[in-house]
């Protein structure tokens, strides 16, 4: 029988809708800031508008990734479905985020060395509007699985036994079981981090502008820019590393250990080979090869209880007599 290789998050469509909404909200705010920047002649307003454009672009990448993954979810050309498209988008967005942080740090260092005149009242109004947009965007994205998610879907199992005239038997079991506590959706997480990064820069800017306006601490504005850039770099690196591990099929250690324990719990069973990797935000694929006097049906009944394993290939080899 054929297999369903749809390994998208259970909240995929909902996450896509909210990401698109935040993208359009960001684009609207960006457009307004750029237009008003030209009308008022405010360089601060123009700079913030173009800075917001980079985040709108990253959100566009996330929205496009959701659409692509959904459109090609049944494409047989993708061996394990399109569940990792979001990881690719997350990786690209993390690179954009880190480049933005480097740009902010560079500009802030230049202004520390060569202070410029700041229109405090106008700049504070800009930062306040930007912060309100970011808060609204974060609320829209924060209810998804940007942090964590749970899936309780139960799919069907497929078991294929193949008997040979050799001195060992092979059983190939393909199980699509249920998932437990799920992995982050890196695509949604990248959108969420971009919004948080923008909110952080707005908060730091407001603090620095207030200090400059009422205490005369003009130096605090670029100093806060450096601090914000370092925090954003840390967020970007964390997202880059997490998405890269999934793209490189890094072993899902907790799931692998759970499978190993289930095999070892059967008398005489020896684990010959084990591969576990992530194929979607809430799905892992696994290849398990076991040697020993093990009943395939009994072993399958144990392994199908392991959470997050949605595509299981099981091989049971009887020891040579």
């Amino acid at each position: 029988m054929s297999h369903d290789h749809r390994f998208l998050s259970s909240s995929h469509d909902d996450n896509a809708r909210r990401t698109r909404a935040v993208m359009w909200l960001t684009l609207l705010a960006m457009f307004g800031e750029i237009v008003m920047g030209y009308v008022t002649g405010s360089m601060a307003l123009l700079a913030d508008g173009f800075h917001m454009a980079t985040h709108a672009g990253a959100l566009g990448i996330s929205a496009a990734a959701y659409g692509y993954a959904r459109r090609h979810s049944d494409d047989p050309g993708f061996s394990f479905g399109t569940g990792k498209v979001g990881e690719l988008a997350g990786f690209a967005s993390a690179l954009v985020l880190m480049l933005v942080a480097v740009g902010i740090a560079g500009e802030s260092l230049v202004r520390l060395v060569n202070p410029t005149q700041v229109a405090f009242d106008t700049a504070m109004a800009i930062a306040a509007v930007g912060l309100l947009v970011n808060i609204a965007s974060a609320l829209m994205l924060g209810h998804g699985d940007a942090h964590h998610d749970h899936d309780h879907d139960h799919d069907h199992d497929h078991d294929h036994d193949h008997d040979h005239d050799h001195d060992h038997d092979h059983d190939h079991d393909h199980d699509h079981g249920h998932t437990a506590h799920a992995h982050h959706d890196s695509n949604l997480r990248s959108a969420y981090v971009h919004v948080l990064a923008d909110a952080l820069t707005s908060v730091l800017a407001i603090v620095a502008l207030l200090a400059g306006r009422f205490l005369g601490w003009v130096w605090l504005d670029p100093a806060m820019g450096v601090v914000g850039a370092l925090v954003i770099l840390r967020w970007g690196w964390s997202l880059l590393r997490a998405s890269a591990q999934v793209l490189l099929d890094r072993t899902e250690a907790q799931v692998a250990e759970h499978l190993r324990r289930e095999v070892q719990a059967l008398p005489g069973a020896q684990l010959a080979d084990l591969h576990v990797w992530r194929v979607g935000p809430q799905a892992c694929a696994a290849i398990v090869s076991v040697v020993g006097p093990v009943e395939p049906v009994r072993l399958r009944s144990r392994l199908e209880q392991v959470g997050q394993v949605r595509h299981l290939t099981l091989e049971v080899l009887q020891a040579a007599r």
Side-chain angles (χ1 to χ4, degrees):
M1 296 178 64
S2 61
H3 300 284
D4 182 350
H5 291 98
R6 292 185 181 183
F7 300 128
L8 305 180
S9 167
S10 61
S11 54
H12 179 91
D13 293 336
D14 184 50
N15 292 345
R17 282 191 295 271
R18 285 183 286 112
T19 300
R20 286 195 298 269
V22 170
M23 179 192 70
W24 288 116
L25 179 61
T26 303
L27 282 171
L28 181 63
M30 175 205 76
F31 181 76
E33 287 191 348
I34 291 176
V35 169
M36 291 305 297
Y38 279 113
V39 170
T40 62
S42 171
M43 286 304 297
L45 197 54
L46 279 173
D48 197 58
F50 285 114
H51 172 242
M52 189 170 282
T54 62
H55 292 292
L59 289 167
I61 291 174
S62 295
Y66 279 121
Y68 185 90
R70 171 57 69 191
R71 287 195 304 273
H72 296 273
S73 60
D74 294 320
D75 188 342
F78 294 94
S79 297
F80 287 94
T82 55
K84 292 204 295 187
V85 169
E87 302 295 335
L88 183 60
F91 186 88
S93 292
L95 288 176
V96 172
L97 189 68
M98 294 175 74
L99 288 174
V100 169
V102 171
I104 293 173
E107 179 64 21
S108 298
L109 289 174
V110 169
R111 292 194 180 190
L112 270 175
V113 177
N114 300 304
T116 59
Q117 189 67 30
V118 178
F120 292 107
D121 294 335
T122 302
M124 279 190 289
I126 297 166
V129 172
L131 180 59
L132 290 175
V133 171
N134 296 141
I135 290 174
S137 299
L139 289 174
M140 293 173 69
L141 293 174
H143 292 91
D145 51 358
H147 306 293
H148 62 274
D149 203 349
H150 297 269
D151 180 43
H152 299 284
D153 295 336
H154 296 267
D155 299 31
H156 55 277
D157 300 322
H158 303 287
D159 183 53
H160 306 283
D161 295 329
H162 303 280
D163 293 324
H164 302 275
D165 293 328
H166 303 196
D167 58 352
H168 55 269
D169 298 315
H170 298 274
D171 172 78
H172 298 281
D173 167 43
H174 300 276
D175 163 64
H176 298 270
H178 63 279
T179 61
H181 189 276
H183 186 265
H184 292 157
D185 180 342
S186 289
N187 197 23
L188 185 68
R189 183 184 172 195
S190 68
Y192 190 70
V193 169
H194 274 279
V195 169
L196 287 184
D198 231 3
L200 175 67
T201 56
S202 296
V203 170
L204 293 178
I206 290 172
V207 172
L209 291 168
L210 285 171
R213 175 70 172 80
F214 296 106
L215 301 177
W217 295 356
V218 179
W219 58 268
L220 191 60
D221 182 57
M224 284 295 193
V226 173
V227 172
L230 291 175
V231 174
I232 295 169
L233 274 174
R234 180 182 176 87
W235 288 348
W237 172 251
S238 175
L239 177 59
L240 189 78
R241 182 176 58 184
S243 55
Q245 288 177 349
V246 177
L247 291 172
L248 294 173
D249 294 332
R250 180 182 175 89
T251 299
E252 288 292 319
Q254 291 185 343
V255 180
E257 180 59 29
H258 194 170
L259 290 169
R260 184 177 289 107
R261 288 198 305 267
E262 292 298 329
V263 171
Q264 293 174 344
L266 296 176
Q270 294 183 350
L271 189 62
D273 198 13
L274 176 63
H275 299 276
V276 184
W277 69 101
R278 189 161 295 282
V279 292
Q282 300 171 335
C284 288
I287 298 174
V288 184
S289 181
V290 179
V291 177
V294 177
E295 295 179 15
V297 174
R298 183 183 179 192
L299 179 58
R300 178 172 67 87
S301 68
R302 298 182 69 96
L303 299 185
E304 69 184 6
Q305 302 300 319
V306 176
Q308 299 189 35
V309 176
R310 293 276 300 278
H311 191 286
L312 174 66
T313 301
L314 174 64
E315 180 183 53
V316 177
L317 306 175
Q318 302 298 326
R321 297 178 179 83

